[in-house]
Amino acid sequence: MFSHADEAMQEPEKSEAGWADAAQEILINALSLTGVRYKYGGKSPETGFDCSGFVRYVFQQAANLTLPHGARAISQLGQSIPVEQLQPGDLVFFNTLKSAFSHVGIYVGDGRFIHAPSSGGGIHVVNMNDSYWAKRFNGARRLPPTEQQPAESSAE
Protein backbone atom coordinates (compact mmCIF):
# COMPACT_ATOMS: atom_id res chain seq x y z
CA MET A 1 0.00 0.00 0.00
CA PHE A 2 2.88 2.40 0.65
CA SER A 3 5.27 3.34 -2.15
CA HIS A 4 8.48 5.32 -2.15
CA ALA A 5 6.48 8.42 -3.06
CA ASP A 6 4.62 8.09 0.23
CA GLU A 7 7.84 8.56 2.19
CA ALA A 8 7.87 12.23 1.20
CA MET A 9 4.39 12.68 2.66
CA GLN A 10 4.96 12.11 6.37
CA GLU A 11 2.48 14.71 7.62
CA PRO A 12 -0.63 13.24 5.93
CA GLU A 13 0.30 9.81 7.28
CA LYS A 14 0.50 11.24 10.79
CA SER A 15 -2.90 12.88 10.46
CA GLU A 16 -4.39 9.68 9.04
CA ALA A 17 -2.96 7.73 11.99
CA GLY A 18 -4.41 10.35 14.34
CA TRP A 19 -7.76 10.02 12.61
CA ALA A 20 -7.63 6.22 12.93
CA ASP A 21 -7.07 6.55 16.69
CA ALA A 22 -9.87 9.11 17.00
CA ALA A 23 -12.19 6.98 14.85
CA GLN A 24 -11.58 3.98 17.08
CA GLU A 25 -12.47 6.03 20.16
CA ILE A 26 -15.55 7.40 18.38
CA LEU A 27 -16.75 3.89 17.48
CA ILE A 28 -16.13 2.48 20.96
CA ASN A 29 -18.03 5.38 22.49
CA ALA A 30 -20.89 5.18 19.98
CA LEU A 31 -21.30 1.40 20.28
CA SER A 32 -21.29 1.64 24.08
CA LEU A 33 -24.50 3.68 23.80
CA THR A 34 -26.41 1.00 21.88
CA GLY A 35 -29.96 0.76 23.20
CA VAL A 36 -30.14 4.25 24.74
CA ARG A 37 -33.64 5.49 23.94
CA TYR A 38 -34.59 8.20 21.48
CA LYS A 39 -35.72 11.58 22.76
CA TYR A 40 -36.37 14.59 20.54
CA GLY A 41 -33.78 17.21 21.51
CA GLY A 42 -32.05 14.64 23.74
CA LYS A 43 -28.33 15.03 24.32
CA SER A 44 -27.27 12.67 27.10
CA PRO A 45 -27.37 8.94 27.88
CA GLU A 46 -29.50 9.69 30.95
CA THR A 47 -32.28 11.50 29.07
CA GLY A 48 -31.93 9.87 25.64
CA PHE A 49 -30.69 11.19 22.31
CA ASP A 50 -31.95 12.48 19.03
CA CYS A 51 -29.69 11.83 16.03
CA SER A 52 -27.60 14.97 16.26
CA GLY A 53 -27.50 14.89 20.06
CA PHE A 54 -26.05 11.38 19.83
CA VAL A 55 -23.39 12.42 17.28
CA ARG A 56 -22.51 15.58 19.26
CA TYR A 57 -22.15 13.60 22.50
CA VAL A 58 -19.96 10.91 20.93
CA PHE A 59 -17.63 13.38 19.18
CA GLN A 60 -17.33 15.52 22.33
CA GLN A 61 -16.52 12.51 24.53
CA ALA A 62 -14.27 10.60 22.13
CA ALA A 63 -12.58 13.29 20.01
CA ASN A 64 -13.04 16.46 22.08
CA LEU A 65 -14.87 18.12 19.18
CA THR A 66 -17.76 20.47 19.89
CA LEU A 67 -20.30 20.18 17.10
CA PRO A 68 -23.33 22.39 16.49
CA HIS A 69 -26.82 21.08 17.19
CA GLY A 70 -28.79 19.74 14.27
CA ALA A 71 -27.91 17.38 11.44
CA ARG A 72 -27.99 20.17 8.84
CA ALA A 73 -25.51 22.32 10.81
CA ILE A 74 -23.19 19.35 11.33
CA SER A 75 -23.36 18.62 7.58
CA GLN A 76 -21.55 21.92 6.93
CA LEU A 77 -18.40 20.79 8.77
CA GLY A 78 -15.38 18.81 7.65
CA GLN A 79 -14.73 17.43 4.20
CA SER A 80 -17.27 15.87 1.85
CA ILE A 81 -16.30 12.34 0.85
CA PRO A 82 -17.74 9.92 -1.70
CA VAL A 83 -19.53 6.86 -0.36
CA GLU A 84 -16.81 4.62 -1.84
CA GLN A 85 -14.25 6.25 0.50
CA LEU A 86 -16.23 5.94 3.72
CA GLN A 87 -14.15 4.98 6.74
CA PRO A 88 -15.29 4.12 10.26
CA GLY A 89 -15.95 7.31 12.20
CA ASP A 90 -17.18 9.30 9.19
CA LEU A 91 -20.58 10.96 9.37
CA VAL A 92 -23.40 9.88 7.06
CA PHE A 93 -26.45 12.02 6.29
CA PHE A 94 -29.95 11.19 5.16
CA ASN A 95 -33.17 12.91 4.09
CA THR A 96 -35.73 11.48 6.52
CA LEU A 97 -38.06 14.44 6.96
CA LYS A 98 -38.50 15.47 3.31
CA SER A 99 -35.55 17.75 3.97
CA ALA A 100 -31.92 17.24 2.94
CA PHE A 101 -29.49 16.46 5.76
CA SER A 102 -32.28 15.92 8.31
CA HIS A 103 -30.70 12.78 9.85
CA VAL A 104 -27.10 11.95 10.80
CA GLY A 105 -25.29 8.81 11.92
CA ILE A 106 -21.75 7.50 12.37
CA TYR A 107 -20.35 5.05 9.84
CA VAL A 108 -19.02 1.87 11.50
CA GLY A 109 -17.78 -0.02 8.42
CA ASP A 110 -19.08 -2.74 6.10
CA GLY A 111 -21.89 -0.53 4.80
CA ARG A 112 -23.36 -0.02 8.27
CA PHE A 113 -23.90 3.00 10.53
CA ILE A 114 -24.99 3.63 14.11
CA HIS A 115 -27.65 6.23 14.84
CA ALA A 116 -30.45 7.34 17.13
CA PRO A 117 -33.64 6.68 15.14
CA SER A 118 -36.95 8.22 16.19
CA SER A 119 -38.44 4.73 16.26
CA GLY A 120 -37.08 1.23 16.59
CA GLY A 121 -35.84 0.76 20.12
CA GLY A 122 -33.08 3.30 20.59
CA ILE A 123 -29.54 3.62 19.29
CA HIS A 124 -28.54 0.75 17.02
CA VAL A 125 -26.54 -0.20 13.92
CA VAL A 126 -28.31 -0.49 10.56
CA ASN A 127 -27.31 -1.29 6.99
CA MET A 128 -27.00 1.74 4.68
CA ASN A 129 -27.91 -0.50 1.74
CA ASP A 130 -31.38 -1.25 3.12
CA SER A 131 -33.80 0.34 0.66
CA TYR A 132 -35.10 2.90 3.19
CA TRP A 133 -31.62 4.30 3.85
CA ALA A 134 -30.17 3.83 0.35
CA LYS A 135 -32.81 6.04 -1.29
CA ARG A 136 -32.47 8.73 1.39
CA PHE A 137 -28.65 8.97 1.51
CA ASN A 138 -27.51 12.63 1.19
CA GLY A 139 -23.76 12.33 1.56
CA ALA A 140 -20.90 11.79 3.96
CA ARG A 141 -18.36 14.00 5.71
CA ARG A 142 -15.09 13.44 7.53
CA LEU A 143 -14.20 15.62 10.48
CA PRO A 144 -10.49 15.96 11.17
CA PRO A 145 -9.85 15.17 14.85
CA THR A 146 -7.54 18.17 15.27
CA GLU A 147 -9.97 20.68 13.76
CA GLN A 148 -11.53 22.25 16.84
CA GLN A 149 -14.96 23.58 16.00
CA PRO A 150 -16.03 26.90 17.51
CA ALA A 151 -17.89 26.45 20.76
CA GLU A 152 -21.59 26.95 20.37
CA SER A 153 -23.19 30.04 21.86
CA SER A 154 -25.38 29.77 24.94
CA ALA A 155 -28.39 30.92 22.90
CA GLU A 156 -29.31 27.33 21.96
Side-chain angles (χ1 to χ4, degrees), residues 44-65:
S44 78
E46 296 77 29
T47 61
F49 289 108
D50 64 10
C51 69
S52 64
F54 167 65
V55 168
R56 290 181 74 218
Y57 180 85
V58 168
F59 273 76
Q60 179 64 51
Q61 297 296 311
N64 198 31
L65 286 178

Side-chain angles (χ1 to χ4, degrees), residues 77-94:
L77 305 175
Q79 169 188 356
S80 179
I81 52 170
V83 69
E84 307 82 45
Q85 293 178 15
L86 274 171
Q87 295 178 9
D90 289 339
L91 298 176
V92 288
F93 296 89
F94 302 88

Side-chain angles (χ1 to χ4, degrees), residues 27-51:
L27 293 181
I28 290 168
N29 194 293
L31 292 168
S32 76
L33 298 168
T34 299
V36 172
R37 69 186 175 92
Y38 178 87
K39 180 179 188 218
Y40 180 78
K43 50 189 176 184
S44 78
E46 296 77 29
T47 61
F49 289 108
D50 64 10
C51 69

Side-chain angles (χ1 to χ4, degrees), residues 106-135:
I106 302 169
Y107 187 72
V108 298
D110 296 323
R112 300 169 69 81
F113 73 100
I114 187 167
H115 69 135
S118 59
S119 62
I123 293 171
H124 63 279
V125 176
V126 294
N127 191 324
M128 288 176 55
N129 297 316
D130 288 350
S131 63
Y132 178 86
W133 296 110
K135 64 185 175 187

